[in-house]
Amino acid sequence: MSLEFRTLQPAEFYLQHISTGVRPDGRSLAERRPLSVSAGNITTADGSAVVKLGATTVVCGVRAELATPRTEEPELGYLVPNISLPPMCSTLFKPGPPSVAAQSTSQFLATVLATSGCVRQEDLCISPGKMVWVLYIDLVCLDHSGNIMDASVSALTSALETVTLPSVTMDTDTGEVVVSDKKRTKLKLDSSPVSTTFAVFNSTTTSSPYLLSDPTSEEEQLSSSLVTVVTTGGDVCHLHQPGGDQLSPQLLQQAVQLATNREKLVAGKTN
């Protein structure tokens, strides 16, 4: 009967569980799935990481290339994140051009990099106006079982922590460039942003909606809205809500508080 109820009325099935404080998978509303990180294992990349958040799996590789800086920003390098959501990761995605979800997630990652100050673009400058580093941050989702945002940010920051750049010398007169792999410099990170995503379920018995941390794919599809809070150093650097119902200031404040508490917990584990 429970399986039939879940199949025929999934929203009501979830609400009945959530109202008791326990989700169908046994987690409490604020409980997150196990997170595992394996960094630096892809030898063909300048930095890499594989992150599993529950069953959601994201691989990230960082490739460094030399380029000419923009004329208006002669001392700034580039950070170019891009995520691929292939059909193998979920039945939600089809072959062809990048999906809307992939494009919006790539833009989300670019915004996180810009607002968190994770990597100072000035540190990627080799010769002002002539040469800078470009970091191509390529992510591939192998299994999309929900909460791709948090998994992607974890994979991105973990991969950047392993990046080393070869030494580069440039003759300013001749323009000759010499790249040496014998001496590599570790990329400096000024911060490690932490992403925390919530699914919002409207209650049928109370006026206060439920916040579910680290939603699964099924929870994301059944929720009334999603919100991702990215924090660094105890401050919010980005807040992302891809449509859905408008959230009240009280609910947003609750989400921000939970995200800030989680960042402190993550920082305590890594120190």
Side-chain angles (χ1 to χ4, degrees):
M1 182 62 184
S2 179
L3 180 59
E4 293 176 355
F5 183 31
R6 183 170 189 165
T7 304
L8 296 174
Q9 294 181 293
E12 184 63 28
F13 174 83
Y14 262 86
L15 279 175
Q16 286 193 13
H17 279 78
I18 292 170
S19 62
T20 65
V22 179
R23 291 141 87 167
D25 61 7
R27 289 186 291 157
S28 66
L29 304 191
E31 187 178 349
R32 297 177 62 85
R33 293 169 295 173
L35 174 69
S36 64
V37 179
S38 177
N41 292 326
I42 303 176
T43 57
T44 54
D46 295 297
S48 63
V50 180
V51 165
K52 289 195 69 175
L53 179 59
T56 301
T57 307
V58 176
V59 178
C60 179
V62 182
R63 178 168 47 91
E65 290 187 4
L66 297 172
T68 303
R70 299 184 184 91
T71 304
E72 64 274 16
E73 298 174 329
E75 298 183 352
L76 301 183
Y78 306 91
L79 295 162
V80 186
N82 182 69
I83 188 167
S84 175
L85 301 174
M88 68 175 178
C89 76
S90 172
T91 56
L92 296 173
F93 307 111
K94 306 300 180 185
S99 63
V100 174
Q103 294 179 55
S104 64
T105 305
S106 294
Q107 183 57 53
F108 165 78
L109 294 173
T111 303
V112 169
L113 285 170
T115 58
S116 67
C118 179
V119 177
R120 284 170 48 89
Q121 291 177 269
E122 294 88 341
D123 293 342
L124 301 177
C125 181
I126 298 169
S127 178
K130 296 182 177 180
M131 187 168 294
V132 295
W133 283 113
V134 180
L135 298 185
Y136 292 101
I137 307 167
D138 297 312
L139 302 96
V140 179
C141 179
L142 302 181
D143 187 330
H144 191 330
S145 295
N147 199 1
I148 190 66
M149 298 298 192
D150 292 5
S152 297
V153 171
S154 294
L156 180 146
T157 55
S158 299
L160 287 174
E161 287 174 355
T162 69
V163 170
T164 58
L165 300 175
S167 64
V168 179
T169 55
M170 180 178 183
D171 190 311
T172 54
D173 296 326
T174 64
E176 181 182 0
V177 178
V178 178
V179 181
S180 175
D181 264 332
K182 294 182 179 179
K183 183 181 179 182
R184 299 182 70 94
T185 304
K186 187 174 178 60
L187 179 68
K188 179 185 176 184
L189 299 187
D190 284 358
S191 67
S192 292
V194 176
S195 175
T196 308
T197 297
F198 302 93
V200 181
F201 279 76
N202 292 323
S203 172
T204 56
T205 58
T206 65
S207 59
S208 179
Y210 299 107
L211 273 182
L212 276 64
S213 181
D214 182 25
T216 63
S217 180
E218 187 176 20
E219 289 169 344
E220 288 179 344
Q221 294 177 56
L222 294 173
S223 66
S224 61
S225 60
L226 297 168
V227 61
T228 300
V229 182
V230 185
T231 56
T232 181
D235 297 322
V236 176
C237 64
H238 186 44
L239 196 149
H240 177 71
Q241 186 188 354
D245 293 348
Q246 184 176 357
L247 304 185
S248 67
Q250 294 81 4
L251 198 64
L252 276 177
Q253 186 59 45
Q254 182 184 348
V256 168
Q257 186 60 56
L258 289 170
T260 304
N261 292 342
R262 177 171 175 258
E263 187 203 351
K264 294 177 181 177
L265 184 62
V266 171
K269 289 182 178 180
T270 55
N271 289 339

